[in-house]
Amino acid sequence: MIKKLMLAIATLVATMGFAMAQVDVNKADAAALDGIKGIGPKTSKAIIDERTKGGPFKDWSDFE
């Protein structure tokens, strides 16, 4: 379930182009993540929860 959610998030982020370049997912809080078009409170919470559980994302495949 988490892998499917993260894959959906990664696909969404990949389609947003340069919006991701403005936010560091390893340091951003929920408000900064919510500011990215297409990411709402539920997705930003999932990103933060995964980051808290597994540590910072090392690369793109780790984020997926």
Side-chain angles (χ1 to χ4, degrees), residues 13 16-25 33 36 39 60 63:
V13 170
M16 292 187 313
F18 291 105
M20 191 64 183
Q22 301 298 318
V23 176
D24 183 352
V25 295
L33 292 170
I36 299 172
I39 294 184
W60 180 250
F63 181 71

Side-chain angles (χ1 to χ4, degrees), residues 14-53:
T15 61
M16 292 187 313
F18 291 105
M20 191 64 183
Q22 301 298 318
V23 176
D24 183 352
V25 295
N26 286 323
K27 297 177 183 175
D29 60 3
L33 292 170
D34 287 346
I36 299 172
K37 183 178 179 183
I39 294 184
K42 186 175 180 179
T43 305
S44 63
K45 182 179 181 334
I47 292 170
I48 292 171
D49 288 347
E50 189 66 25
R51 183 179 69 195
T52 302
K53 182 177 80 174

